[in-house]
Structures are given as structure tokens and as C-alpha cells.
Amino acid sequence: MQNNILHKSTNLDLLRAVAVTFVVVDHTSKFLGHPFVLGREMNWLGRLGVMFFFVHTCTVLMLSLERLTTETTRARAWLSFYIRRIFRIYPLSIFAVTVVVLFHIPSAFISGRYLFGNFDPSRNEVVGSLLLIQNVWPRGSREIIGVLWSLPFEVQMYVLLPIIFLFQSRLRRLWPLFAVWIGSWIPAHLFMPLHYAPHFLAGVIAFALASRQRSSLWPSWLFPITLGVLTMAFFAWRQSTAVGGMICFILGSLLPRFATIKSPTVNRITYNMAKYSYGVYLSHLFCLWVAFDVVRSFHVVTFGILLLSMPVLLFHCIESPMIQLGIWLGSAIARHPIQYASTEAVPPAAP
């Protein structure tokens, strides 16, 4: 029986929409020659967006595991989970890396106003990026697509998440989970794949708290205000990954406390932003390059058109067919009816 109040929460779509907006604003601002705004480094706005993505992704995937484990055996549920993740994250990332390498598209990093840096990747760097293991192999690997840096951390968290789900589901009290979060800071500093473990575990905390809560206490309009306050607190404090981990902990702890947003207009907008966010993540640097370096006229209009159309095209041509194939294969293994939430486990955008 699914009793988690976050299962039908549209607040998760808003969180994802805010996160992808932070990333796009960060990169666009730097590309236009404004790496600092109001004395704050824009790079950290994108980083905060990535951290919000980690909280969102982990929360949504815990919900997914809860659905699967109530409908089949644990082994089948876990195998189905892994298959769905593979078909959700890899097809589009492989396509993006392949296109960039074949056509030598500059997208490694923003090197200046209207300029993207590029390099000639080694064979191992290409393989590492295709497999999304470039944070551990090859050593010293550079990002072929700058935004691809966060995906390996997410893939590596996929491996551990079913075990974490099993651990938290057997807890009678929540204090051991909070103790794990505190303890996660040690391996986060010692072992690269776990560098963002505290940020992901904030999503586990959100899921666990919501599983034990039967009603929302705070009005929904407070949720976007809370996101704004947390963002301002991050920039008022010292911007760092560690501070971001604390912000994520607060976000995860508060997330189940808000009633779900009911506005049809807001929900329609955030739903579509979340649905196409992976395409935005992988294509927005390409859109900037085409609009300002290739077309070289009507820059803003061209960028806007590309940013709105390309993620939709990528979703319907690549993402959606592969998602459905993963769901079909996972469902065949798990032997339960096909279920799909459009924003489930959409990989994070990254600066």
C-alpha cells in the first residue's frame, strides 16, 4: 500500500523547474559575459540547481522503488528499477556525446563572452563519457560536454539506492537515518563517487518523513517562498558544496510539510518544464552556441526558439521511446502492470 503523501505532489515538479532554471540562467549569464551578478558568482547558482536536482531525483526514485516493491518480489523490483534507470538516462546522453565528438561541437566549458572552450578528447575520455564514469575513469578526465559532470554521481547513486530504500523501510525511528546523513560527510570527502551523498540522502529523508506523515501542515504557497529563502540563504552564506549540503538537508526535511500546489496553470507549466528538463540539460549549451556563434543574428529570438523546441524534439524522438522500452522490459521482469510518471528520475541539469 502506497501511503507516501509525496506520490501525488506537484511540488516536486516545481522543485525540478526551479533547478533547471537555475542552471540555464547560470550558463546564459556567463556566456553573455556576466559571471557575477550583484557581487555573487553565477556558477554557484547552477551548482545549487544541481543540488536541488539531487534532492528531487532521490525523492522521486524512492517513490518509484516503493511502487515496485509493493507489486513484486524484492529481487525483481530491484532489477526492474535498474533497467528503467539505464533506459532513462543513457540513450540521450550517448546521443549527445556522440554528436559533439563527431561534429567537434564546442561545449566543454564557457571560456569567455560568446565563447565555448573545446578540446580533442582521447579515446578513453570518450568511452568514460559514454559510460558516465568519467568522474572515476580515466583519471583526470575532462568533460566533453560541460554539463555532463553530474550524471556519473547520479548513476553511482542508482547502484546504492535500493539498499538505502531497504534500510530506511526497516527503521522504526528516524534517528538512524539522520545519523547516516551525518556520517555520510566522511566518505563524501574521501571517495569521489560519494562526494554528493549528503545531498542525495536529503531526498531519502524527505521520502522517509513523508511516509510517516498523514497530512500536510503548511499551505502550498509557502513552498516557493521557502525555495527562495533557501536560495538567498545559500548566497548570503559562504557558497560551497558543504553549505549546499546543509541547504539540501533543510529542503529535504521541509519538503513533506507543504500541501501540494493546486493551481492548474502553475502545475501545467512546471509539469512540462520537468518533463523536458533532461533535454534542456543536455541541449541548452548547444542552443547558445548555435544562436550566438552559428546563426549570428536575432540571437535572443533564435536561442529562445531553440531552447523551447529542441528539448521537445529530443524527448519525443529519443527519450520517450527509450523510456517506454525500459518500462516494458522492467515490467516484463517484475510481472506487474506498466506504470509511468513523466517526471520520474529525470537526470539533473548541471553547470
Side-chain angles (χ1 to χ4, degrees):
M1 180 179 179
Q2 300 171 16
N3 54 12
N4 196 302
I5 63 172
L6 291 177
H7 268 292
K8 297 181 179 180
S9 176
T10 56
N11 297 352
L12 291 171
D13 284 344
L14 175 62
L15 176 59
R16 188 164 190 84
V18 169
V20 74
T21 299
F22 282 0
V23 172
V24 173
V25 170
D26 164 24
H27 291 153
T28 303
S29 177
K30 287 188 294 187
F31 184 75
L32 296 179
H34 302 287
F36 291 87
V37 175
L38 299 178
R40 301 299 178 181
E41 189 177 0
M42 291 302 293
N43 181 60
W44 279 108
L45 182 65
R47 292 273 173 169
L48 182 62
V50 171
M51 298 176 206
F52 282 176
F53 270 114
F54 288 158
V55 177
H56 171 278
T57 297
C58 204
T59 303
V60 171
L61 290 183
M62 293 291 283
L63 294 170
S64 177
L65 281 165
E66 184 180 51
R67 285 194 297 268
L68 290 171
T69 53
T70 58
E71 296 166 345
T72 187
T73 64
R74 183 189 304 160
R76 290 181 179 274
W78 288 19
L79 183 56
S80 176
F81 171 81
Y82 288 132
I83 289 174
R84 291 178 186 220
R85 294 315 108 227
I86 289 171
F87 279 88
R88 182 62 185 92
I89 196 171
Y90 275 98
L92 192 57
S93 67
I94 290 174
F95 172 79
V97 170
T98 302
V99 169
V100 166
V101 171
L102 288 179
F103 296 97
H104 304 284
I105 298 173
S107 58
F109 54 90
I110 298 173
S111 58
R113 190 167 185 248
Y114 298 160
L115 293 174
F116 280 112
N118 200 19
F119 67 96
D120 186 20
S122 68
R123 180 180 300 177
N124 285 347
E125 286 176 322
V126 173
V127 173
S129 293
L130 291 173
L131 296 177
L132 295 179
I133 58 173
Q134 70 269 27
N135 64 333
V136 294
W137 183 87
R139 187 175 181 180
S141 179
R142 298 161 294 180
E143 297 297 342
I144 294 174
I145 303 175
V147 298
L148 218 61
W149 71 267
S150 67
L151 281 183
F153 294 103
E154 184 143 350
V155 169
Q156 287 143 17
M157 178 56 72
Y158 289 171
V159 177
L160 299 176
L161 205 57
I163 300 172
I164 296 172
F165 174 81
L166 179 63
F167 167 75
Q168 74 81 33
S169 66
R170 294 186 173 182
L171 295 178
R172 293 182 178 274
R173 298 181 179 179
L174 286 176
W175 69 262
L177 185 58
F178 289 100
V180 169
W181 180 83
I182 294 172
S184 69
W185 287 96
I186 297 175
H189 282 82
L190 299 177
F191 190 45
M192 177 57 70
L194 297 179
H195 187 62
Y196 288 94
H199 307 72
F200 282 106
L201 287 175
V204 178
I205 290 172
F207 170 83
L209 289 172
S211 297
R212 292 160 174 78
Q213 188 172 312
R214 295 296 174 265
S215 61
S216 300
L217 300 179
W218 300 343
S220 60
W221 56 265
L222 277 177
F223 180 57
I225 293 178
T226 299
L227 290 178
V229 170
L230 290 176
T231 299
M232 289 187 292
F234 177 75
F235 281 96
W237 207 357
R238 183 173 60 88
Q239 296 91 58
S240 68
T241 301
V243 173
M246 296 298 299
I247 295 294
C248 287
F249 175 79
I250 297 171
L251 174 61
S253 300
L254 296 181
L255 187 58
R257 307 291 293 178
F258 300 98
T260 188
I261 297 172
K262 299 296 185 181
S263 169
T265 302
V266 172
N267 290 341
R268 190 179 304 112
I269 293 172
T270 57
Y271 168 82
N272 282 292
M273 290 180 69
K275 180 178 180 179
Y276 298 116
S277 60
Y278 190 24
V280 173
Y281 155 53
L282 285 177
S283 69
H284 71 280
L285 295 182
F286 174 80
C287 295
L288 280 169
W289 173 68
V290 171
F292 288 87
D293 194 33
V294 178
V295 177
R296 297 184 179 180
S297 60
F298 304 103
H299 304 311
V300 176
V301 174
T302 303
F303 175 59
I305 292 174
L306 289 173
L307 190 62
L308 291 175
S309 60
M310 187 163 292
V312 176
L313 182 65
L314 292 173
F315 180 84
H316 292 288
C317 292
I318 299 176
E319 289 183 71
S320 184
M322 292 297 100
I323 290 171
Q324 297 303 325
L325 178 58
I327 291 172
W328 182 80
L329 291 172
S331 297
I333 291 172
R335 294 180 181 175
H336 66 78
I338 293 176
Q339 298 185 29
Y340 171 59
S342 65
T343 61
E344 180 179 322
V346 183

